[in-house]
Amino acid sequence: MALKREPEKHPNHERWLVSYGDLLTLLLAVFVVLYAMSLADKKKVEEVAESLRESFGYSKASLGAKPVVIESGNISIVPSIKPQSLPVQQRQAQGKQRAYAMEKDFGTIKASLDAYLTKSGNRGKVSIDITRRGLVVSLKEAGFFDSGSARIKAGSEELFSVIAQSLSHYANPYRIEGHTDNVPIHTGQFRSNWELSTMRATNVLQKLVDSYGFDPAVMSAAGYGEYRSVADNGAAEGRAKNRRVDIVMLSSGGEAGEPGNGSSR
């Protein structure tokens, strides 16, 4: 008995559509994955870029505008270098609630300001040191005062603002100390280097309080004239280093040597 042959099936000319559909599905999956990866990478790149901007004293909000300085702790950014628009009393009240800077904070502030000074080309106008007394920010005469004058230069406002706001986040006591070289001065306004150095220190203190909300209860000013030099007055370079105003953010040890003011932190 002969087996019945099944009729031959007609060739399916549309089978390629199945493979084509699989290929499209795979391509879609690949592009979705690539898109997702690109978003993640973009986020990471932005985080890295923001970190670099912060380390050099720039905030995301102020790019293309003016530089700002980071503070310690959580490495947050000062929003703007311009004086705050809040009333002085309100800024001072906020300052009283701020943290007390410790040695590690001094290191963070110094690193931040050093980075800004290098990037902005102001390295020759300010020097920063950490001593047993605390953090010492030295404003050199060449950058902030005209010779024989106690008035802060208008052109130094931006640099002064960066420094002031980087320090204003802390509740430490501050000593503002004026220094000169040993070249005598006798003008209608200043009879001696003592008077000049004291007036410069007072003007810096007043600006920190009036424009940047520093608490006057923890501020003091002193003028030392030429008697606490840091370099040899026999050379022009040494005299230039001695003409300065030091903003000293006192450490707990440095504060111990200060007269009591009846307040506690």
PDB file of all heavy atoms in Angstrom, residues 146-152 185-200 203:
ATOM      1  N   ASP A 146      46.108 102.332  49.823  1.00  0.00           N
ATOM      2  CA  ASP A 146      47.096 103.211  49.223  1.00  0.00           C
ATOM      3  C   ASP A 146      48.118 103.579  50.291  1.00  0.00           C
ATOM      4  O   ASP A 146      47.824 103.551  51.496  1.00  0.00           O
ATOM      5  CB  ASP A 146      46.424 104.477  48.682  1.00  0.00           C
ATOM      6  CG  ASP A 146      45.546 104.182  47.470  1.00  0.00           C
ATOM      7  OD1 ASP A 146      45.944 103.321  46.657  1.00  0.00           O
ATOM      8  OD2 ASP A 146      44.471 104.791  47.354  1.00  0.00           O
ATOM      9  N   SER A 147      49.317 103.932  49.869  1.00  0.00           N
ATOM     10  CA  SER A 147      50.370 104.278  50.815  1.00  0.00           C
ATOM     11  C   SER A 147      49.941 105.448  51.697  1.00  0.00           C
ATOM     12  O   SER A 147      49.462 106.481  51.217  1.00  0.00           O
ATOM     13  CB  SER A 147      51.645 104.650  50.052  1.00  0.00           C
ATOM     14  OG  SER A 147      52.669 105.006  50.946  1.00  0.00           O
ATOM     15  N   GLY A 148      50.065 105.274  53.011  1.00  0.00           N
ATOM     16  CA  GLY A 148      49.721 106.328  53.955  1.00  0.00           C
ATOM     17  C   GLY A 148      48.237 106.516  54.180  1.00  0.00           C
ATOM     18  O   GLY A 148      47.833 107.447  54.879  1.00  0.00           O
ATOM     19  N   SER A 149      47.406 105.639  53.594  1.00  0.00           N
ATOM     20  CA  SER A 149      45.958 105.753  53.734  1.00  0.00           C
ATOM     21  C   SER A 149      45.395 104.566  54.510  1.00  0.00           C
ATOM     22  O   SER A 149      45.907 103.450  54.404  1.00  0.00           O
ATOM     23  CB  SER A 149      45.291 105.823  52.357  1.00  0.00           C
ATOM     24  OG  SER A 149      43.874 105.752  52.481  1.00  0.00           O
ATOM     25  N   ALA A 150      44.329 104.817  55.272  1.00  0.00           N
ATOM     26  CA  ALA A 150      43.672 103.749  56.028  1.00  0.00           C
ATOM     27  C   ALA A 150      42.372 103.305  55.372  1.00  0.00           C
ATOM     28  O   ALA A 150      41.715 102.392  55.859  1.00  0.00           O
ATOM     29  CB  ALA A 150      43.385 104.209  57.461  1.00  0.00           C
ATOM     30  N   ARG A 151      42.010 103.942  54.280  1.00  0.00           N
ATOM     31  CA  ARG A 151      40.762 103.601  53.592  1.00  0.00           C
ATOM     32  C   ARG A 151      40.982 102.406  52.668  1.00  0.00           C
ATOM     33  O   ARG A 151      41.945 102.362  51.903  1.00  0.00           O
ATOM     34  CB  ARG A 151      40.271 104.793  52.777  1.00  0.00           C
ATOM     35  CG  ARG A 151      38.980 104.534  52.007  1.00  0.00           C
ATOM     36  CD  ARG A 151      38.496 105.774  51.304  1.00  0.00           C
ATOM     37  NE  ARG A 151      38.159 106.825  52.243  1.00  0.00           N
ATOM     38  CZ  ARG A 151      37.716 108.038  51.884  1.00  0.00           C
ATOM     39  NH1 ARG A 151      37.585 108.324  50.595  1.00  0.00           N
ATOM     40  NH2 ARG A 151      37.428 108.940  52.799  1.00  0.00           N
ATOM     41  N   ILE A 152      40.097 101.420  52.746  1.00  0.00           N
ATOM     42  CA  ILE A 152      40.203 100.230  51.904  1.00  0.00           C
ATOM     43  C   ILE A 152      39.916 100.613  50.455  1.00  0.00           C
ATOM     44  O   ILE A 152      38.932 101.291  50.160  1.00  0.00           O
ATOM     45  CB  ILE A 152      39.222  99.140  52.374  1.00  0.00           C
ATOM     46  CG1 ILE A 152      39.528  98.763  53.829  1.00  0.00           C
ATOM     47  CG2 ILE A 152      39.305  97.896  51.491  1.00  0.00           C
ATOM     48  CD1 ILE A 152      38.504  97.803  54.433  1.00  0.00           C
ATOM     49  N   ILE A 185      55.918 108.082  59.646  1.00  0.00           N
ATOM     50  CA  ILE A 185      54.853 108.824  58.979  1.00  0.00           C
ATOM     51  C   ILE A 185      54.392 109.939  59.911  1.00  0.00           C
ATOM     52  O   ILE A 185      54.289 109.758  61.131  1.00  0.00           O
ATOM     53  CB  ILE A 185      53.663 107.901  58.619  1.00  0.00           C
ATOM     54  CG1 ILE A 185      52.587 108.683  57.856  1.00  0.00           C
ATOM     55  CG2 ILE A 185      53.063 107.247  59.855  1.00  0.00           C
ATOM     56  CD1 ILE A 185      51.458 107.816  57.341  1.00  0.00           C
ATOM     57  N   HIS A 186      54.173 111.094  59.332  1.00  0.00           N
ATOM     58  CA  HIS A 186      53.654 112.213  60.119  1.00  0.00           C
ATOM     59  C   HIS A 186      52.865 113.099  59.160  1.00  0.00           C
ATOM     60  O   HIS A 186      53.422 113.894  58.408  1.00  0.00           O
ATOM     61  CB  HIS A 186      54.779 113.013  60.787  1.00  0.00           C
ATOM     62  CG  HIS A 186      54.271 114.034  61.753  1.00  0.00           C
ATOM     63  ND1 HIS A 186      53.927 113.739  63.064  1.00  0.00           N
ATOM     64  CD2 HIS A 186      54.018 115.354  61.587  1.00  0.00           C
ATOM     65  CE1 HIS A 186      53.489 114.830  63.655  1.00  0.00           C
ATOM     66  NE2 HIS A 186      53.543 115.831  62.791  1.00  0.00           N
ATOM     67  N   THR A 187      51.554 112.910  59.156  1.00  0.00           N
ATOM     68  CA  THR A 187      50.678 113.675  58.263  1.00  0.00           C
ATOM     69  C   THR A 187      49.605 114.355  59.101  1.00  0.00           C
ATOM     70  O   THR A 187      49.542 114.196  60.325  1.00  0.00           O
ATOM     71  CB  THR A 187      50.001 112.741  57.241  1.00  0.00           C
ATOM     72  OG1 THR A 187      49.114 111.846  57.932  1.00  0.00           O
ATOM     73  CG2 THR A 187      51.038 111.920  56.482  1.00  0.00           C
ATOM     74  N   GLY A 188      48.770 115.103  58.415  1.00  0.00           N
ATOM     75  CA  GLY A 188      47.688 115.759  59.117  1.00  0.00           C
ATOM     76  C   GLY A 188      46.700 114.767  59.721  1.00  0.00           C
ATOM     77  O   GLY A 188      45.993 115.088  60.682  1.00  0.00           O
ATOM     78  N   GLN A 189      46.655 113.566  59.156  1.00  0.00           N
ATOM     79  CA  GLN A 189      45.715 112.557  59.653  1.00  0.00           C
ATOM     80  C   GLN A 189      46.361 111.584  60.637  1.00  0.00           C
ATOM     81  O   GLN A 189      45.740 111.163  61.608  1.00  0.00           O
ATOM     82  CB  GLN A 189      45.124 111.774  58.475  1.00  0.00           C
ATOM     83  CG  GLN A 189      44.007 110.820  58.876  1.00  0.00           C
ATOM     84  CD  GLN A 189      43.387 110.145  57.661  1.00  0.00           C
ATOM     85  OE1 GLN A 189      43.872 110.285  56.536  1.00  0.00           O
ATOM     86  NE2 GLN A 189      42.297 109.414  57.885  1.00  0.00           N
ATOM     87  N   PHE A 190      47.625 111.232  60.377  1.00  0.00           N
ATOM     88  CA  PHE A 190      48.300 110.247  61.225  1.00  0.00           C
ATOM     89  C   PHE A 190      49.640 110.802  61.712  1.00  0.00           C
ATOM     90  O   PHE A 190      50.499 111.176  60.918  1.00  0.00           O
ATOM     91  CB  PHE A 190      48.541 108.942  60.443  1.00  0.00           C
ATOM     92  CG  PHE A 190      47.290 108.345  59.861  1.00  0.00           C
ATOM     93  CD1 PHE A 190      47.095 108.319  58.491  1.00  0.00           C
ATOM     94  CD2 PHE A 190      46.291 107.810  60.675  1.00  0.00           C
ATOM     95  CE1 PHE A 190      45.951 107.774  57.935  1.00  0.00           C
ATOM     96  CE2 PHE A 190      45.148 107.274  60.135  1.00  0.00           C
ATOM     97  CZ  PHE A 190      44.972 107.252  58.763  1.00  0.00           C
ATOM     98  N   ARG A 191      49.804 110.829  63.020  1.00  0.00           N
ATOM     99  CA  ARG A 191      51.042 111.327  63.595  1.00  0.00           C
ATOM    100  C   ARG A 191      52.112 110.241  63.683  1.00  0.00           C
ATOM    101  O   ARG A 191      53.291 110.549  63.870  1.00  0.00           O
ATOM    102  CB  ARG A 191      50.783 111.894  64.990  1.00  0.00           C
ATOM    103  CG  ARG A 191      49.897 113.122  65.000  1.00  0.00           C
ATOM    104  CD  ARG A 191      49.724 113.625  66.406  1.00  0.00           C
ATOM    105  NE  ARG A 191      49.064 112.612  67.245  1.00  0.00           N
ATOM    106  CZ  ARG A 191      48.952 112.705  68.576  1.00  0.00           C
ATOM    107  NH1 ARG A 191      49.480 113.742  69.201  1.00  0.00           N
ATOM    108  NH2 ARG A 191      48.324 111.763  69.244  1.00  0.00           N
ATOM    109  N   SER A 192      51.693 108.960  63.575  1.00  0.00           N
ATOM    110  CA  SER A 192      52.660 107.874  63.714  1.00  0.00           C
ATOM    111  C   SER A 192      52.139 106.627  63.017  1.00  0.00           C
ATOM    112  O   SER A 192      50.962 106.544  62.638  1.00  0.00           O
ATOM    113  CB  SER A 192      52.900 107.563  65.200  1.00  0.00           C
ATOM    114  OG  SER A 192      51.715 107.010  65.774  1.00  0.00           O
ATOM    115  N   ASN A 193      53.031 105.652  62.862  1.00  0.00           N
ATOM    116  CA  ASN A 193      52.624 104.373  62.290  1.00  0.00           C
ATOM    117  C   ASN A 193      51.620 103.641  63.179  1.00  0.00           C
ATOM    118  O   ASN A 193      50.820 102.841  62.692  1.00  0.00           O
ATOM    119  CB  ASN A 193      53.854 103.487  62.062  1.00  0.00           C
ATOM    120  CG  ASN A 193      54.632 103.885  60.821  1.00  0.00           C
ATOM    121  OD1 ASN A 193      54.047 104.281  59.819  1.00  0.00           O
ATOM    122  ND2 ASN A 193      55.955 103.808  60.896  1.00  0.00           N
ATOM    123  N   TRP A 194      51.669 103.885  64.470  1.00  0.00           N
ATOM    124  CA  TRP A 194      50.693 103.288  65.368  1.00  0.00           C
ATOM    125  C   TRP A 194      49.274 103.723  64.981  1.00  0.00           C
ATOM    126  O   TRP A 194      48.359 102.908  64.905  1.00  0.00           O
ATOM    127  CB  TRP A 194      50.967 103.709  66.811  1.00  0.00           C
ATOM    128  CG  TRP A 194      51.747 102.708  67.602  1.00  0.00           C
ATOM    129  CD1 TRP A 194      51.739 101.352  67.449  1.00  0.00           C
ATOM    130  CD2 TRP A 194      52.649 102.984  68.658  1.00  0.00           C
ATOM    131  NE1 TRP A 194      52.581 100.765  68.351  1.00  0.00           N
ATOM    132  CE2 TRP A 194      53.163 101.750  69.111  1.00  0.00           C
ATOM    133  CE3 TRP A 194      53.087 104.158  69.282  1.00  0.00           C
ATOM    134  CZ2 TRP A 194      54.074 101.643  70.160  1.00  0.00           C
ATOM    135  CZ3 TRP A 194      53.987 104.058  70.324  1.00  0.00           C
ATOM    136  CH2 TRP A 194      54.489 102.818  70.760  1.00  0.00           C
ATOM    137  N   GLU A 195      49.111 105.005  64.757  1.00  0.00           N
ATOM    138  CA  GLU A 195      47.786 105.518  64.408  1.00  0.00           C
ATOM    139  C   GLU A 195      47.322 104.956  63.065  1.00  0.00           C
ATOM    140  O   GLU A 195      46.159 104.590  62.907  1.00  0.00           O
ATOM    141  CB  GLU A 195      47.801 107.043  64.388  1.00  0.00           C
ATOM    142  CG  GLU A 195      47.973 107.667  65.758  1.00  0.00           C
ATOM    143  CD  GLU A 195      47.798 109.173  65.736  1.00  0.00           C
ATOM    144  OE1 GLU A 195      47.426 109.715  64.665  1.00  0.00           O
ATOM    145  OE2 GLU A 195      48.014 109.801  66.787  1.00  0.00           O
ATOM    146  N   LEU A 196      48.245 104.907  62.096  1.00  0.00           N
ATOM    147  CA  LEU A 196      47.882 104.377  60.783  1.00  0.00           C
ATOM    148  C   LEU A 196      47.481 102.905  60.877  1.00  0.00           C
ATOM    149  O   LEU A 196      46.448 102.496  60.334  1.00  0.00           O
ATOM    150  CB  LEU A 196      49.060 104.533  59.816  1.00  0.00           C
ATOM    151  CG  LEU A 196      48.889 103.896  58.432  1.00  0.00           C
ATOM    152  CD1 LEU A 196      47.707 104.504  57.688  1.00  0.00           C
ATOM    153  CD2 LEU A 196      50.174 104.023  57.610  1.00  0.00           C
ATOM    154  N   SER A 197      48.284 102.114  61.582  1.00  0.00           N
ATOM    155  CA  SER A 197      47.985 100.685  61.678  1.00  0.00           C
ATOM    156  C   SER A 197      46.689 100.432  62.444  1.00  0.00           C
ATOM    157  O   SER A 197      45.912  99.544  62.092  1.00  0.00           O
ATOM    158  CB  SER A 197      49.143  99.944  62.346  1.00  0.00           C
ATOM    159  OG  SER A 197      49.348 100.393  63.671  1.00  0.00           O
ATOM    160  N   THR A 198      46.453 101.223  63.480  1.00  0.00           N
ATOM    161  CA  THR A 198      45.226 101.059  64.260  1.00  0.00           C
ATOM    162  C   THR A 198      43.999 101.432  63.446  1.00  0.00           C
ATOM    163  O   THR A 198      42.964 100.737  63.485  1.00  0.00           O
ATOM    164  CB  THR A 198      45.283 101.919  65.532  1.00  0.00           C
ATOM    165  OG1 THR A 198      46.424 101.541  66.309  1.00  0.00           O
ATOM    166  CG2 THR A 198      44.029 101.737  66.369  1.00  0.00           C
ATOM    167  N   MET A 199      44.084 102.510  62.681  1.00  0.00           N
ATOM    168  CA  MET A 199      42.945 102.933  61.869  1.00  0.00           C
ATOM    169  C   MET A 199      42.651 101.929  60.761  1.00  0.00           C
ATOM    170  O   MET A 199      41.487 101.644  60.452  1.00  0.00           O
ATOM    171  CB  MET A 199      43.202 104.321  61.272  1.00  0.00           C
ATOM    172  CG  MET A 199      42.030 104.852  60.446  1.00  0.00           C
ATOM    173  SD  MET A 199      40.481 104.935  61.392  1.00  0.00           S
ATOM    174  CE  MET A 199      40.867 106.244  62.557  1.00  0.00           C
ATOM    175  N   ARG A 200      43.674 101.360  60.153  1.00  0.00           N
ATOM    176  CA  ARG A 200      43.453 100.338  59.119  1.00  0.00           C
ATOM    177  C   ARG A 200      42.747  99.121  59.714  1.00  0.00           C
ATOM    178  O   ARG A 200      41.800  98.585  59.123  1.00  0.00           O
ATOM    179  CB  ARG A 200      44.785  99.928  58.493  1.00  0.00           C
ATOM    180  CG  ARG A 200      45.329 100.949  57.502  1.00  0.00           C
ATOM    181  CD  ARG A 200      46.662 100.503  56.910  1.00  0.00           C
ATOM    182  NE  ARG A 200      47.101 101.399  55.847  1.00  0.00           N
ATOM    183  CZ  ARG A 200      48.243 101.286  55.190  1.00  0.00           C
ATOM    184  NH1 ARG A 200      49.086 100.289  55.496  1.00  0.00           N
ATOM    185  NH2 ARG A 200      48.565 102.133  54.230  1.00  0.00           N
ATOM    186  N   ASN A 203      39.109 100.002  60.405  1.00  0.00           N
ATOM    187  CA  ASN A 203      38.296 100.072  59.187  1.00  0.00           C
ATOM    188  C   ASN A 203      37.948  98.674  58.652  1.00  0.00           C
ATOM    189  O   ASN A 203      36.834  98.443  58.182  1.00  0.00           O
ATOM    190  CB  ASN A 203      39.033 100.873  58.113  1.00  0.00           C
ATOM    191  CG  ASN A 203      39.026 102.362  58.397  1.00  0.00           C
ATOM    192  OD1 ASN A 203      38.278 102.837  59.255  1.00  0.00           O
ATOM    193  ND2 ASN A 203      39.873 103.119  57.708  1.00  0.00           N
TER     194      ASN A 203
END
